[in-house]
Amino acid sequence: MAVELDVFVGNTTIMDEEVYQLWLDGYTVNDAVTVRMEGGVLEEFEASADVLLSDTMDQYRTFQMCERLLHSPAKLANQLLFQIPPHRQAMLIERYYAFDDSFVREVLGKKLSKGTKKDLDDISAKTGVMLKSCRRQFDNFKRVFKVVEELKGPLVENIRQHFLLSDKLARDYAAIVFFANNRFETGKRKLLYLTFQDFAFCAGQLINNWTVGAVGKRSQYMVEDMDVDLDKEFLQELKELKILISDKDLLDQHKSLVCTALRGKTKAFNEMEANFKNLSRGLVNIAAKLTNTKDVRDFFIDLVEKFIEPCRSDRWTAADMKLYLTHYTNSAHILDTFKHQVVWDRYMGVIKSCIFKMYHD
């Protein structure tokens, strides 16, 4: 009896995005098959369980062979073994370097070393992210960190060009690199309410304003770590801001200007007036101590303890916070004997942005 077969021959590598995600998430072949069966794939394609198992195993093998190319994404475009269209390559790379916010939140600010890698079992259990996926994500963070620390120029651009990532993902990786380099404390109980995206936003502010390669200085400093190391000259200049709290007349004048601007505009005025000096000392002392490595590490915990918590206990709204910090910053420009306006604006621009992001009323 004659049997008719329709045969299609092609050389484009077939990759199922759902199976790729299961592989990235750390599922075994058998677990991936179960997930696919529960999703109704057998009925959709009228296939048997054996065919599904064979297909899943074949795709897993393909992904494993592609993985070494994904470690250096530019190689994926130049190799001849797999015929993968450009838009498919972009998807493979972007998803391979994607990460779980819950996972990165646990390692943010920690040294990307073997010591931290030993903790991945515990982090996996805590976050629910499979251990294999935790290892992939950690190794990606470490790989990006090692590559960019050898490169000159802007951090985000280096990550985007070398790893072919989207702008958003490149910026997230820049935040991870920046936090790992400066070892910012993010794991204290008082900081646990903050998400990775909260910290990533703050990292962007710090990179763009407080590093050696900050805006206005980029053409001068095309050097290694220009967007990773804080500008030591600027940190030293911050000590000059101490005059705002050490000079009693200046402190009283600053308070008077701010309170005059705020009166009648907020229900929290009485608390703002009563706590002005303590809040100002808190912000200025944070600035003055940033020449010390430990105080740089404690930057976020200091912002919470010395400013955000006192305001929260007085029931300030986010609008109150914005109003207060705007007038607090601008009023310093009217102080006759205060001569450090440029440093003040560079400092308070970042402080305001970070506090607005961190203050969840």
Side-chain angles (χ1 to χ4, degrees):
M1 188 174 84
V3 178
E4 288 189 8
L5 291 174
D6 290 324
V7 177
F8 173 79
V9 178
N11 64 353
T12 299
T13 305
I14 305 297
M15 292 181 173
D16 185 299
E17 290 188 29
E18 182 196 0
V19 181
Y20 183 51
Q21 194 59 54
L22 291 169
W23 177 73
L24 290 174
D25 288 342
Y27 284 84
T28 64
V29 170
N30 288 335
D31 288 341
V33 168
T34 301
V35 171
R36 296 182 77 189
M37 286 175 71
E38 289 172 353
V41 72
L42 292 185
E43 293 80 6
E44 184 181 350
F45 293 102
E46 298 180 356
S48 68
D50 286 345
V51 169
L52 185 63
L53 174 63
S54 177
D55 175 67
T56 305
M57 288 177 67
D58 184 51
Q59 297 216 42
Y60 264 49
R61 273 193 296 270
T62 301
F63 301 143
Q64 283 157 4
M65 286 190 287
C66 282
E67 188 164 21
R68 63 181 179 79
L69 299 171
L70 289 165
H71 291 170
S72 300
K75 291 181 179 177
L76 196 61
N78 299 322
Q79 53 80 38
L80 300 174
L81 183 60
F82 303 103
Q83 300 302 307
I84 307 170
H87 74 278
R88 212 73 169 150
Q89 292 179 24
M91 180 278 293
L92 291 175
I93 294 164
E94 191 79 0
R95 287 205 188 178
Y96 187 79
Y97 283 91
F99 52 80
D100 293 279
D101 280 7
S102 60
F103 172 74
V104 71
R105 186 64 186 81
E106 293 296 320
V107 300
L108 191 66
K110 293 182 179 177
K111 201 170 182 181
L112 299 174
S113 63
K114 289 180 181 177
T116 305
K117 195 166 185 177
K118 288 178 183 175
D119 298 333
L120 294 185
D121 280 351
D122 294 335
I123 293 173
S124 173
K126 182 178 179 181
T127 61
V129 178
M130 292 185 183
L131 182 58
K132 189 176 179 184
S133 182
C134 287
R135 286 181 179 143
R136 171 182 60 81
Q137 294 176 51
F138 183 82
D139 288 343
N140 285 345
F141 299 160
K142 193 172 177 180
R143 184 180 308 111
V144 172
F145 184 93
K146 290 185 83 168
V147 166
V148 297
E149 71 176 346
E150 304 294 331
L151 300 175
K152 295 179 180 180
L155 180 59
V156 174
E157 192 58 34
N158 283 339
I159 293 171
R160 192 164 48 215
Q161 288 189 1
H162 196 90
F163 291 94
L164 308 181
L165 304 181
S166 66
D167 183 68
K168 172 70 173 72
L169 192 54
R171 289 183 186 282
D172 283 346
Y173 267 91
I176 293 164
V177 169
F178 183 72
F179 268 73
N181 183 72
N182 291 287
R183 304 287 301 283
F184 288 108
E185 174 59 63
T186 66
K188 291 278 175 69
R189 185 176 56 82
K190 290 181 179 181
L191 296 176
L192 294 182
Y193 78 97
L194 295 168
T195 66
F196 166 70
Q197 289 303 329
D198 290 334
F199 281 120
F201 172 84
C202 294
Q205 293 296 308
L206 289 158
I207 289 168
N208 290 332
N209 295 283
W210 287 7
T211 59
V212 174
V215 175
K217 301 178 80 172
R218 289 195 176 277
S219 57
Q220 277 177 274
Y221 293 98
M222 289 298 284
V223 296
E224 291 177 12
D225 295 336
M226 61 181 264
D227 283 348
V228 177
D229 292 336
L230 295 175
D231 183 350
K232 288 184 170 58
E233 186 181 327
F234 166 65
L235 299 184
Q236 201 66 41
E237 290 171 342
L238 286 175
K239 290 187 174 184
E240 304 293 340
L241 302 183
K242 285 276 282 189
I243 195 171
L244 283 172
I245 56 173
S246 61
D247 184 318
K248 187 178 182 305
D249 291 339
L250 211 54
L251 180 58
D252 289 341
Q253 193 185 348
H254 195 190
K255 177 180 177 180
S256 176
L257 288 168
V258 174
C259 291
T260 299
L262 290 172
R263 188 173 278 108
K265 293 180 180 174
T266 169
K267 292 177 181 177
F269 175 77
N270 290 338
E271 290 81 3
M272 290 178 178
E273 186 177 38
N275 289 334
F276 178 87
K277 291 183 179 180
N278 283 337
L279 293 175
S280 189
R281 287 189 187 104
L283 290 181
V284 173
N285 281 328
I286 289 172
K289 294 192 303 178
L290 286 174
T291 49
N292 303 320
T293 304
K294 184 187 181 305
D295 289 303
V296 170
R297 289 181 186 173
D298 289 341
F299 175 69
F300 293 100
I301 195 77
D302 285 343
L303 277 184
V304 168
E305 288 181 346
K306 293 183 169 59
F307 196 85
I308 291 173
E309 280 187 343
C311 298
R312 194 181 282 140
S313 68
D314 283 339
R315 301 183 187 281
W316 291 23
T317 64
D320 290 333
M321 176 71 73
K322 193 163 285 193
L323 186 69
Y324 178 87
L325 284 174
T326 299
H327 287 296
Y328 176 75
T329 304
N330 294 344
S331 295
H333 288 266
I334 311 170
L335 298 170
D336 294 336
T337 56
F338 183 59
K339 307 296 182 187
H340 309 288
Q341 315 289 4
V342 175
V343 176
W344 175 249
D345 285 345
R346 188 177 174 189
Y347 174 67
M348 283 306 300
V350 169
I351 293 295
K352 282 193 298 182
S353 296
C354 289
I355 289 176
F356 294 161
K357 190 69 176 176
M358 294 166 66
Y359 193 74
H360 302 177
D361 63 355

